[in-house]
Amino acid sequence: MRKYLKYIILIFIFYNNVFAGIDFSLFVPIDGNVSILNKNINSQQTHLNNVYEYGYFSAGVLSEIGYNFKFDNKYINSLSVVGNIGYMASTLPIEVRKELIGRFYEVAFLHTLNTGASIKIINNVTNYNLSYSICIGGGIKTPFGGNIISQLAATDESILTGKEEYNFNDIKNVFKSVVIPYIKLDINLYYHLTKNVSFMAGLYFNYNFAFKYNTDYINNFAAMKVFDKLEVSSFSMGISLGFAIRDNGY
């Protein structure tokens, strides 16, 4: 009996010294996304007249897990180093002007696996059952499929590639890279439901670096030289809602 009790005590000590510092959160981000284009169109072509920036929305399910380090400091109560992983429906929205049709939008709605890392500064709100965090991080989004959303009533076929859906092989052909680097800033407020569990709500800002279209693929589809360059980066701002598991310090 004493042997089992000793094991239980050791497990309890191990948990309190290691797992007590775990910082885990699961949340749903919803944002508005505006594209930023870097383009070079062949002025002699007639396939389309121009492409423009456009806006759309994104959403997903993301998680963070890492370790929380406590500080005896009135400016920083604790600091967490976390890894990020989850799903995000990332969008590449553009507006197209084509002869006889006019202007219409087209969105490449990409299903992406998000991976990255962040540093999070956490402070408690004195005399309230609240805390807040400021988090900065970055990583990559890896598209593994997608769909085309078009304003044209007749079809959802892309004016650029002729595709209605993208699988991973399509993404490797249509784009020059299979990853989208990003950086982000999160500001979250936590309402403590228990000593370890909180409801979280916040704002986040995200910048996706340029995702480059394979212009040879676009030009081959159009049977003429349409683009010398087409790159789509984007800025998004939105809200996130979810739950966090962390020692709330009381």
Side-chain angles (χ1 to χ4, degrees):
M1 183 66 181
R2 286 183 179 180
K3 182 174 68 173
Y4 294 118
L5 182 60
K6 181 175 69 174
Y7 289 148
I8 291 171
I9 292 172
L10 288 173
I11 291 170
F12 181 77
I13 292 171
F14 181 76
Y15 175 84
N16 278 276
N17 282 279
V18 178
F19 292 101
I22 290 294
D23 187 334
F24 173 79
S25 56
L26 182 67
F27 55 95
V28 175
I30 303 171
D31 67 44
N33 177 42
V34 178
S35 60
I36 304 165
L37 300 185
N38 184 7
K39 62 188 179 180
N40 190 351
I41 301 176
N42 183 356
S43 60
Q44 303 301 314
Q45 60 80 36
T46 58
H47 182 67
L48 55 82
N49 302 104
N50 211 338
V51 293
Y52 309 88
E53 284 81 5
Y54 198 72
Y56 212 69
F57 69 91
S58 303
V61 179
L62 301 176
S63 65
E64 295 179 340
I65 185 166
Y67 198 83
N68 179 251
F69 300 90
K70 301 293 183 182
F71 292 94
D72 186 15
N73 187 304
K74 65 179 180 179
Y75 300 107
I76 301 176
N77 297 148
S78 66
L79 182 146
S80 290
V81 179
V82 297
N84 317 124
I85 190 167
Y87 164 81
M88 194 74 186
S90 300
T91 57
L92 302 178
I94 60 173
E95 189 173 42
V96 178
R97 181 160 63 89
K98 192 175 188 302
E99 289 184 358
L100 303 178
I101 297 177
R103 289 175 68 146
F104 60 94
Y105 69 76
E106 172 179 308
V107 181
F109 199 83
L110 300 178
H111 307 294
T112 66
L113 174 67
N114 283 32
T115 53
S118 305
I119 295 176
K120 187 178 351 180
I121 295 173
I122 302 157
N123 283 320
N124 295 323
V125 181
T126 307
N127 299 326
Y128 291 92
N129 201 31
L130 299 170
S131 60
Y132 67 90
S133 70
I134 300 172
C135 176
I136 187 167
I140 58 173
K141 302 179 180 182
T142 306
F144 55 86
N147 302 84
I148 298 299
I149 299 172
S150 175
Q151 190 179 19
L152 294 176
T155 181
D156 276 332
E157 182 180 286
S158 171
I159 194 73
L160 302 179
T161 66
K163 297 284 187 179
E164 294 185 14
E165 297 181 353
Y166 292 142
N167 58 36
F168 187 65
N169 285 331
D170 293 327
I171 289 168
K172 290 192 294 183
N173 291 329
V174 171
F175 301 97
K176 290 184 177 180
S177 172
V178 293
V179 297
I180 308 170
Y182 73 90
I183 55 174
K184 65 165 188 168
L185 171 68
D186 298 330
I187 302 171
N188 289 309
L189 184 67
Y190 302 87
Y191 177 72
H192 305 156
L193 302 174
T194 71
K195 181 181 183 299
N196 297 106
V197 179
S198 303
F199 172 76
M200 62 178 286
L203 296 173
Y204 77 95
F205 308 87
N206 182 95
Y207 178 77
N208 291 334
F209 291 91
F211 201 37
K212 301 177 182 181
Y213 278 88
N214 181 353
T215 52
D216 289 338
Y217 188 98
I218 297 174
N219 295 336
N220 287 336
F221 169 69
M224 64 182 70
K225 188 172 183 180
V226 181
F227 288 99
D228 293 313
K229 178 194 295 184
L230 180 60
E231 302 174 358
V232 185
S233 52
S234 62
F235 175 77
S236 58
M237 180 174 67
I239 62 171
S240 56
L241 300 171
F243 290 90
I245 298 174
R246 184 180 58 243
D247 184 353
N248 291 319
Y250 63 84

